[in-house]
Amino acid sequence: MINRFLMSRFGPSLTGAVVGVLAPVLVFLGNPGNMGVCVACFGRDIAGALGMHRAAVVQYLRPEIAGFILGSFVSALIYREYKPRAGSAPIIRFFLGVFAMVGALIFLGCPWRAYLRLSGGDLNALWGIAGLAAGVGIGIAFLWNGFNLGRSAPTAKASGLVMPAFSVLLLVLLLLAPQFGRDAAGLPTGPIFFSKEGPGSMHAPAFIALGAGLLIGWMAQRSRFCTVGALRDLFMLKDPHLFYGILALLVAAIGTNVALGQFKLGFAGQPVAHTNALWNFLGMLLSGLAFTLAGGCPGRQLIMSGEGDNDAALFVLGLIVGAAVAHNFSFASSAKGPGPYAAVAFAVGMVFCLAVGFLNRGRVSA
Amino acid sequence: MTDKILVDARGLSCPQPVLETKAALESARGNTVEVLVDTVTSRENVLRLASRMNWKGTWEETQEGTFRITLEK
């Protein structure tokens, strides 16, 4: 019954509404402001917790991400949609993930968080959403001209178990937080790092965060909720059913934020956000283009990796590596503003994405 | 006896199966269009497009897990 509804035209709307309620509740329970769920921020925190970057304020093994993958995995198994597949330009997808994350960390959020920021009253998100739409628009131009990354093919059944196993491993590391590394003074340090202050130190109770992640993962798998597909299908095909998912998310999240006293309208002083309009726009433009070329928003890529899509899994690993790169190369923004090398990151990312767009064309179908 | 147009969209990412199907439906001129996809997501997306363009769709699953969608005006 509920499955029927989730698979119908209204499925993305129901999923959006649930995300819109759960995300502000997770903030209320301890997650950073307007960051109830954010694939970019959480991927960045995971990269930090694994020591891949050493920005001490953004290190935590966010259980929501493991929940998305595991929720999708279980759902795909139950409904016979677990179909391991691979081989559609994996290395290109990996780097699309890298640059999607670099762009998202210039803006400070994935598309989900762009809408969640807006629903908390953060008007800077409007620039990001405009940039996202522009990036999707460029991606659409490539799609109209025959862009594609080639076919994937069915592959070893067991390959689809890797990402769910990786998710379980992240949860085990969250629980055990091993400290068998030693610093110069011989004191325990790493390999797992948790922030003592800053956004990384703020989190809802882990089992609630995991539960929310599992529920969202399951619902998103059934409904194909996708924030990039939403704009793409609206512009390209005049099909709004995914876009209604975003509207439902916005309405539910604004309502929940107001009810919890978390709604604060304005540009200045917003949580984990900066006020530089140009870089909010350009960061999300780069991200939006990378997501469109890869075929879906980062949340959707996580869900597909849970279904056994090896190529989506590589995109996800690209996101995590991209987060490490963004911080290690000072590409990432902070609440103070864009990082000193944001322009370099943007230029390199755009050259890569445009090259991918121009070089991968031609019909693959009869 | 009309010709059949075949669209093999197996293994393609979103939104390619839908775009390929759309192009085929627009040039079909009353013929039957057959679309091959290999995920339930693509199957539903293709059927949704077809119904929005007023085409009738049926599908069957082959042994290898491919969905064979038949679209008729």
Side-chain angles (χ1 to χ4, degrees):
Chain A
M1 171 63 191
I2 179 82
N3 179 50
R4 268 252 187 93
F5 190 83
L6 279 171
M7 285 194 73
S8 77
R9 277 185 304 128
F10 307 104
S13 303
L14 180 62
T15 305
V18 168
V19 173
V21 172
L22 286 181
V25 169
L26 286 170
V27 171
F28 188 77
L29 293 174
N31 275 7
N34 295 342
M35 205 191 285
V37 287
C38 172
V39 177
C41 318
F42 289 2
R44 173 260 301 277
D45 291 350
I46 289 173
L50 297 174
M52 294 166 68
H53 70 71
R54 304 302 283 275
V57 291
V58 283
Q59 299 176 320
Y60 180 58
L61 288 170
R62 299 276 176 189
E64 290 91 341
I65 297 292
F68 291 161
I69 295 174
L70 291 170
S72 162
F73 173 62
V74 171
S75 169
L77 279 181
I78 291 175
Y79 295 102
R80 294 181 53 242
E81 291 188 18
Y82 173 75
K83 284 192 174 177
R85 46 196 187 271
S88 171
I91 195 66
I92 290 179
R93 290 177 187 273
F94 176 86
F95 280 99
L96 286 174
V98 169
F99 289 114
M101 180 61 102
V102 166
L105 291 179
I106 291 175
F107 165 66
L108 292 175
C110 72
W112 291 22
R113 186 172 187 245
Y115 295 111
L116 290 171
R117 279 174 57 174
L118 184 61
S119 64
D122 178 352
L123 296 175
N124 300 297
L126 290 171
W127 294 109
I129 293 167
L132 179 70
V136 172
I138 299 172
I140 288 174
F142 284 119
L143 286 168
W144 281 138
N145 285 291
F147 168 81
N148 71 80
L149 286 176
R151 295 176 195 279
S152 65
T155 186
K157 279 277 178 206
S159 71
L161 299 174
V162 173
M163 289 307 278
F166 176 66
S167 307
V168 171
L169 177 69
L170 290 181
L171 293 173
V172 170
L173 290 174
L174 170 65
L175 217 58
L176 300 181
Q179 296 290 304
F180 47 72
R182 291 291 176 270
D183 66 12
L187 297 169
T189 178
I192 300 302
F193 301 86
F194 290 146
S195 299
K196 295 192 176 58
E197 54 178 3
S201 68
M202 302 166 69
H203 51 82
F207 67 96
I208 295 179
L210 175 62
L214 288 169
L215 177 64
I216 294 170
W218 176 68
M219 293 186 77
Q221 198 281 327
R222 296 319 296 150
S223 68
R224 337 305 186 186
F225 182 77
C226 179
T227 54
V228 166
L231 297 177
R232 181 197 66 213
D233 289 357
L234 184 69
F235 296 155
M236 279 190 99
L237 302 165
K238 311 280 176 274
D239 178 353
H241 90 288
L242 286 172
F243 186 72
Y244 290 149
I246 291 180
L247 293 183
L249 183 153
L250 272 174
V251 170
I254 291 173
T256 311
N257 273 322
V258 170
L260 295 175
Q262 294 173 167
F263 187 83
K264 192 180 75 173
L265 195 67
F267 285 96
Q270 295 288 352
V272 200
H274 63 78
T275 55
N276 187 309
L278 178 69
W279 287 107
N280 278 326
F281 179 87
L282 291 179
M284 227 36 188
L285 183 149
L286 170 58
S287 256
L289 174 55
F291 293 139
T292 308
L293 295 179
C297 76
R300 180 80 191 128
Q301 303 283 348
L302 280 172
I303 300 303
M304 292 195 296
S305 79
E307 295 171 354
D309 186 331
N310 286 219
D311 300 321
L314 270 165
F315 184 93
V316 168
L317 296 179
L319 287 174
I320 294 175
V321 171
V325 169
H327 280 280
N328 291 341
F329 284 74
S330 298
F331 294 155
S333 300
S334 70
K336 294 190 196 86
Y341 298 100
V344 177
F346 176 77
V348 174
M350 285 305 286
V351 167
F352 177 78
C353 289
L354 292 173
V356 167
F358 280 113
L359 296 177
N360 293 278
R361 289 192 289 177
R363 292 177 71 84
V364 284
S365 180
Chain B
M1 185 70 199
T2 51
D3 291 330
K4 220 182 236 180
I5 299 178
L6 179 70
V7 177
D8 183 357
R10 286 176 295 179
L12 296 178
S13 309
C14 282
Q16 254 101 43
V18 171
L19 295 182
E20 302 271 344
T21 304
K22 189 164 183 275
L25 293 183
E26 280 164 356
S27 65
R29 297 208 179 86
N31 293 337
T32 301
V33 174
E34 197 170 273
V35 186
L36 302 177
V37 296
D38 54 6
T39 64
V40 178
T41 303
S42 292
R43 186 190 79 203
E44 298 305 318
N45 288 346
V46 165
L47 287 171
R48 190 179 332 101
L49 171 88
S51 93
R52 282 176 354 105
M53 291 176 72
N54 295 315
W55 284 67
K56 285 189 281 293
T58 54
W59 60 270
E60 55 176 0
E61 186 171 0
T62 68
Q63 277 184 340
E64 321 86 77
T66 294
F67 297 105
R68 181 186 298 274
I69 307 170
T70 308
L71 302 172
E72 285 167 324
K73 191 74 184 177

